[in-house]
């Protein structure tokens, strides 16, 4: 965290061009002996307006911070060999992505694969002789035999037709999907031909080796009805020699993140019994390998368990979880007793204050993790002998010369039912308690997600423009238990509106807020709530609805996950109960809207497709409400993939608010 003096000094506030100078640590991997950490140093290229990644190393004392020798291209996924003498990683260039290997003793780096598609999920065998990974492979099927005429020589005919028969045929951020699926491969660590271990129309993920290296564990939905029941995955064991596959779990619901104990006795994994609810807590399970007996660990921890990781002695399991806006690393013994270890885990959500992050554990129990706080993107953190510290300070030169808005926590109570809600308020740089400043309510997406006291460049840019910025975790947010998350089950949006209005009232009561200059924005689930808010109240001077759902009936049939939304967020498909869809659609309230409202969406958004935004824009135009449609060219649902587009989007929103009395 920045020292208090950083807030008092007369320094310039964060500026849009500063985004290009931000850096953050991703995927920290501690060496088996705990001597150093390899991580991906993320940054932006101001000339190409894209992200880049390079693998760096840093000693456990924070010294000898340097890039990986011999590395090139856009690098990711560093993975230490079991003996710590080699580092495997993925490097991508104009010719594609391949697995590379670095030998530390020789200081040599070489490419060790010749793959047809990008590898992911690298995992070393316990003896260090093989690497398992995932790679997309075209499916071998012909859904329809069609005889087409042949074009005459030198003719210039149109592109071939594209026939689709998959339920999930496009994915946000990827576009229209090839008829291919993620399969498991094994390749010698010294290089050679990769051997395919799985096939079929199933995506596989979450690779882990057995303690003796004879089996690979993987999560997949290999059921015949996988398209209809997308959440029903199992943990499978693959015989590495013969290739036989068998299911280790069988309950209805997702089973994922397998982790084998070093002594070979247990398999840990996460999942839940699916009840078709919008939010269901991911639990930690322990399976005895000899008997198949399964029991839940940390059952009293009413939080989602993530990233189970075994201790070297097989007596403890480390894991991460979100708790009231904070992401923690904890451990549980095999009796289920939980001990908290780290409370500042953070991830790559540098633009808005979402959770996330990752960690790894050395043989001696030292933990390397992505450390985050409200005043800077993720750094490499280390937990050593119970004491946490930062090994890097990637943004010291930039953020040490900027005055950021101070982040304050506020609590509110919803009048309708007394529900407690946690929020945070960013004060504008140079904040004077004797003055009153306009306020922007910025609402998180999901809706099953959470904000917290983490760095968010977008929100700091709003604060730098002279606004108080309020961000909140209304009901439905994760990190507050399963009951709180499911308060919006089949009832979203709705009472979460009251939570947000209570948070705004609490922010006004805290002082320094002009109640006559309130503004609201949010993206995805936050866009839904922003559109709902302007259809419910006139207390905001202007709004910016970003990548929203406006009509639930059209959304569930055009979004990229049609097999999920209609049965988890609603009780039935829209043709069976259209009224339920309509009453929860912001479009049903557009007749009430008087607030000037900008609508913003990526042109390649397949999660909340742009027709959702266009419906709202056209409806507002028909009603004579001042509006503007801002399309982000080439952008998917993630509107911060290109830093220039984030800066431009913030500029448009601030200009819109300024037009209606903002700062």
């Amino acid at each position: 965290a920045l020292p208090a003096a950083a807030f008092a000094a007369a320094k310039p506030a964060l500026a849009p061009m500063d985004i290009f100078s931000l850096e953050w640590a991703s995927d920290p991997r501690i060496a088996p002996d705990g001597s150093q950490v390899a991580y991906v140093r993320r940054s932006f290229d101001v000339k190409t307006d894209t992200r880049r990644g390079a693998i760096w190393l840093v000693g456990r004392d924070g010294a000898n911070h340097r890039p990986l020798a011999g590395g090139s291209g856009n690098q990711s996924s560093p993975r230490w060999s079991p003996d710590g003498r080699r580092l495997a990683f993925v490097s991508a260039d104009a010719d594609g992505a391949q697995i590379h290997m670095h030998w530390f003793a020789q200081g040599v780096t070489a490419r060790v694969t010749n793959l047809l598609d990008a590898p992911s999920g690298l995992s070393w065998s316990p003896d260090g002789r093989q690497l398992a990974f995932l790679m997309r492979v075209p499916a071998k099927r012909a859904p329809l035999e069609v005889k087409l005429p042949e074009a005459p020589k030198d003719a210039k005919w149109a592109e071939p037709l594209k026939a689709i028969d998959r339920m999930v045929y496009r994915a946000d951020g990827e576009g229209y999907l090839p008829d291919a699926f993620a399969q498991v491969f094994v390749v010698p660590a010294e290089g050679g031909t990769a051997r395919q271990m799985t096939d079929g129309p199933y995506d596989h993920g979450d690779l882990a080796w057995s303690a003796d290296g004879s089996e690979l564990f993987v999560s997949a939905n290999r059921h015949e009805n996988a398209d209809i029941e997308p959440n029903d995955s199992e943990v499978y064991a693959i015989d590495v020699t013969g290739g036989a596959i068998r299911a280790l779990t069988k309950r209805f619901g997702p089973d994922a993140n397998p982790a084998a104990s070093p002594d070979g006795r247990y398999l840990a994994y996460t999942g839940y019994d699916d009840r078709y609810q919008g939010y269901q807590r991911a639990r930690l399970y322990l399976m005895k390998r000899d008997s198949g007996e399964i029991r839940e660990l940390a059952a009293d921890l009413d939080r989602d368990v993530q990233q189970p990781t075994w201790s070297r002695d097989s007596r403890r399991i480390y894991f991460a979880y979100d708790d009231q806006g904070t992401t923690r690393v904890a451990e549980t013994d095999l009796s289920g007793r939980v001990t908290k270890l780290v409370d500042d885990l953070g991830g790559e959500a540098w633009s808005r204050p979402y959770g996330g992050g990752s960690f790894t554990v050395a043989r001696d129990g030292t933990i390397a993790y992505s450390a985050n706080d409200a005043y800077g993107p993720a750094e490499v953190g280390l937990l050593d002998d119970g004491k946490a510290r930062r090994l890097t300070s990637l943004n010291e030169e930039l953020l040490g010369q900027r005055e950021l808005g101070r982040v304050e926590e506020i609590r509110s109570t919803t009048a309708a039912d007394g529900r407690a809600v946690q929020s945070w308020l960013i004060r504008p740089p140079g904040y004077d308690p004797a003055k009153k400043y306009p306020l922007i309510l910025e609402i998180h997406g999901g809706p099953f997600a959470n904000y917290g006291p983490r760095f968010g460049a977008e929100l700091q840019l709003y604060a730098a423009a002279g606004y108080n910025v309020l961000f909140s975790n209304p009901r439905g947010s994760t990190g507050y238990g399963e009951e709180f998350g499911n308060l919006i089950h089949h009832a979203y949006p709705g009472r979460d509106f009251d939570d947000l209005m209570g948070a705004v009232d609490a922010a006004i009561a805290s002082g320094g807020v002009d109640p006559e200059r309130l503004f609201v924005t949010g993206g995805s689930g936050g866009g839904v709530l922003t559109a709902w808010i302007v259809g419910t109240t006139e207390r905001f001077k202007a709004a910016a609805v970003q990548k929203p759902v406006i009509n639930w009936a059209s959304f569930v049939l055009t979004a990229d996950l049609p097999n999920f939304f209609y049965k988890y967020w609603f009780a039935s498909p829209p043709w069976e109960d259209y009224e339920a869809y309509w009453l929860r659609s912001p479009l049903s309230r557009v007749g009430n809207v008087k607030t000037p409202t900008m609508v913003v969406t990526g042109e390649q958004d397949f999660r909340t497709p742009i027709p959702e935004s266009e419906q709202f824009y056209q409806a507002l135009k028909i009603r004579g409400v001042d509006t503007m449609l801002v399309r982000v060219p080439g952008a998917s649902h993630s509107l911060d993939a290109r830093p220039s587009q984030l800066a431009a989007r913030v500029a448009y929103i601030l200009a819109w608010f300024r037009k209606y009395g903002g700062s």
Side-chain angles (χ1 to χ4, degrees):
L2 293 177
F7 298 99
K11 299 176 182 178
L14 192 71
M17 280 301 294
D18 290 335
I19 293 172
F20 287 97
S21 298
L22 291 173
E23 298 185 77
W24 64 98
S26 170
D27 200 8
R29 295 276 162 171
I30 194 164
D33 64 1
S35 62
Q36 57 183 331
V37 179
Y39 74 97
V40 182
R41 186 169 179 168
R42 299 285 186 186
S43 59
F44 295 115
D45 188 320
V46 70
K47 292 295 185 67
T48 62
D49 194 22
T50 57
R51 299 188 190 193
R52 58 191 177 191
I55 295 174
W56 280 60
L57 298 121
V58 60
R60 69 181 294 153
D61 59 357
N64 200 19
H65 191 206
R66 77 259 184 219
L68 181 69
S72 62
N74 197 15
Q75 301 165 1
S76 62
S77 304
R79 298 294 183 268
W80 292 95
S81 63
D83 61 10
R85 297 177 180 178
R86 291 164 291 169
L87 188 74
F89 63 97
V90 175
S91 182
D93 55 25
D95 296 325
Q98 300 289 340
I99 300 174
H100 288 63
M101 190 74 67
H102 180 79
W103 287 262
F104 283 93
Q106 295 79 15
V108 174
T109 301
R111 170 176 151 177
V112 295
T113 58
N114 186 26
L115 305 175
L116 299 179
D117 207 342
S120 63
L122 300 190
S123 180
W124 282 89
S125 64
D127 62 7
R129 299 177 62 184
Q130 301 181 88
L131 282 165
F133 64 93
L134 301 166
M135 185 175 71
R136 187 174 284 174
V137 176
K140 297 178 182 178
R141 64 193 191 99
L144 185 66
E145 294 291 338
V146 178
K147 294 183 178 180
L148 301 174
E150 293 186 9
K153 185 179 180 181
D154 299 326
K156 296 182 179 179
W157 284 17
E159 290 186 15
L161 279 61
K162 298 177 181 178
I164 296 169
D165 69 343
R166 293 171 59 182
M167 178 172 284
V168 178
Y169 60 90
R170 58 184 182 177
D172 187 68
E174 297 184 66
Y176 284 83
L177 296 172
D179 200 9
F181 299 86
Q183 306 294 351
V184 179
F185 287 79
V186 172
V187 67
E190 302 297 325
T193 301
R195 182 162 53 103
Q196 185 172 338
M197 305 300 299
T198 61
D199 58 16
Y202 319 108
D203 284 316
H204 300 77
D206 301 337
L207 287 177
W209 288 83
S210 64
D212 62 5
S214 65
E215 292 182 309
L216 274 167
F217 304 115
V218 65
S219 175
N221 186 342
R222 295 174 60 91
H223 299 292
E224 290 291 330
N225 63 345
D227 262 0
I228 302 299
E229 299 292 354
N231 261 11
D232 191 21
S233 61
E234 311 293 351
V235 173
Y236 292 87
I238 305 171
D239 183 281
V240 175
T241 301
I245 303 175
R246 71 185 192 283
L248 300 181
T249 59
K250 60 182 180 181
R251 57 119 173 252
F252 179 68
D255 293 311
N257 300 303
S261 64
D263 65 7
R265 298 176 60 195
Y266 301 102
L267 183 72
Y269 62 97
T270 64
Y272 54 81
D273 294 290
D274 195 353
R275 305 182 304 280
Y276 292 130
Q277 291 182 197
Y279 171 61
Q280 299 174 82
R281 176 167 65 90
R283 301 165 185 261
L284 177 63
Y285 293 94
L286 186 70
M287 175 189 291
K288 282 188 175 182
R289 293 302 317 281
D290 57 358
S291 66
E293 176 190 342
I294 298 171
R295 60 189 173 92
E296 184 180 353
L297 294 181
D300 294 333
L301 180 68
D302 189 16
R303 302 290 186 267
D304 289 292
V305 173
Q306 309 161 46
Q307 305 175 49
T309 303
W310 283 92
S311 64
R312 181 67 177 175
D313 61 9
S314 299
R315 298 171 63 182
R316 290 161 293 161
I317 300 172
Y318 302 92
F319 61 93
Y321 68 97
D322 287 344
D323 181 39
Q324 300 196 35
T326 296
T327 308
R328 305 182 187 276
V329 178
E331 66 179 18
T332 177
D333 60 21
L334 300 193
S335 70
R337 183 175 55 201
V338 175
T339 303
K340 300 175 186 177
L341 301 174
V342 167
D343 61 3
D344 61 339
L345 186 69
E348 296 193 34
W350 59 274
S351 65
R352 292 194 285 165
Y354 284 114
S358 61
F359 70 93
T360 51
V361 186
R363 285 192 292 258
D364 65 359
T366 303
I367 298 176
Y369 65 100
S370 46
N372 188 271
D373 60 35
Y375 304 110
E379 303 282 356
V380 177
L382 196 80
L383 182 72
D384 182 9
D385 196 24
K387 297 179 180 178
R389 52 194 169 88
R390 306 285 175 92
L391 300 185
T392 61
S393 52
L394 302 179
N395 295 282
E396 183 177 15
E397 291 301 316
L398 171 65
L399 298 182
Q401 304 302 316
R402 297 290 182 269
E403 184 179 359
L404 298 178
R406 182 187 288 275
V407 179
E408 304 174 0
E409 181 181 338
I410 61 174
R411 299 271 180 167
S412 58
T413 301
T414 302
D417 61 2
R419 184 67 57 172
V421 173
Q422 186 181 25
S423 306
W424 294 266
L425 190 62
I426 305 178
R427 298 296 190 179
Y431 171 70
D432 181 351
K435 298 180 180 179
K436 292 187 180 297
Y437 302 81
L439 178 139
I440 296 175
L441 170 62
E442 208 281 341
I443 309 170
H444 74 64
F448 304 109
N450 69 78
Y451 274 166
R454 313 175 183 107
F455 181 73
E458 181 175 334
L459 276 61
Q460 285 286 350
L461 287 174
Y462 293 140
Y467 292 85
N468 291 287
V469 184
L470 175 65
F471 55 106
S472 180
N473 283 337
R475 68 192 66 202
S477 300
T478 55
Y480 300 86
E482 196 159 14
E483 187 264 347
F484 188 84
N486 274 303
L487 288 171
I488 62 170
H489 178 59
H490 292 175
Y492 162 75
R495 186 57 60 78
D496 37 5
F497 165 84
D498 297 327
D499 295 340
L500 293 168
M501 295 306 100
V504 170
D505 293 338
I508 294 171
S510 73
V513 175
D514 185 347
E516 300 301 319
R517 291 195 294 165
L518 304 178
F519 303 86
V520 59
T521 187
S524 192
V528 175
L529 280 165
T530 302
W532 188 266
I533 284 169
V534 296
T536 307
T537 181
E538 297 176 34
R539 74 183 301 189
F540 295 92
K541 294 298 183 183
V545 174
Q546 302 183 64
K547 49 186 181 182
V549 174
I550 294 301
N551 183 338
W552 286 108
S554 59
F555 164 75
V556 300
L557 297 175
T558 58
D560 59 349
L561 298 173
N563 55 353
F564 179 84
F565 293 117
Y566 83 93
K567 67 167 57 179
Y568 287 89
W569 289 11
F570 290 86
S572 56
W575 53 87
E576 293 182 5
D577 189 4
Y578 183 78
E579 185 178 14
Y581 284 76
W582 179 247
L583 292 177
R584 288 167 54 189
S585 295
L587 191 60
S588 70
R589 299 192 171 205
V590 75
N592 302 329
V593 178
K594 297 181 180 178
T595 305
T597 302
M598 173 182 282
V599 188
V600 185
T601 305
E603 291 184 346
Q604 300 300 317
D605 189 336
F606 289 146
R607 181 59 45 81
T608 55
I610 199 167
E612 292 298 309
S613 293
E614 291 170 334
Q615 289 180 70
F616 203 52
Y617 170 73
Q618 296 288 28
L620 293 173
K621 277 292 188 184
I622 289 170
R623 290 205 58 252
V625 177
D626 196 9
T627 184
M628 177 178 289
L629 178 64
V630 177
R631 301 165 62 106
V632 185
S636 65
H637 196 62
S638 175
L639 295 177
D640 60 4
R642 306 293 291 272
S644 71
Q645 291 180 332
L646 182 143
R649 179 168 53 84
V650 169
Y652 268 91
I653 292 170
L654 289 173
W656 185 255
F657 291 170
R658 189 164 52 248
K659 178 180 177 182
Y660 292 98
S663 178

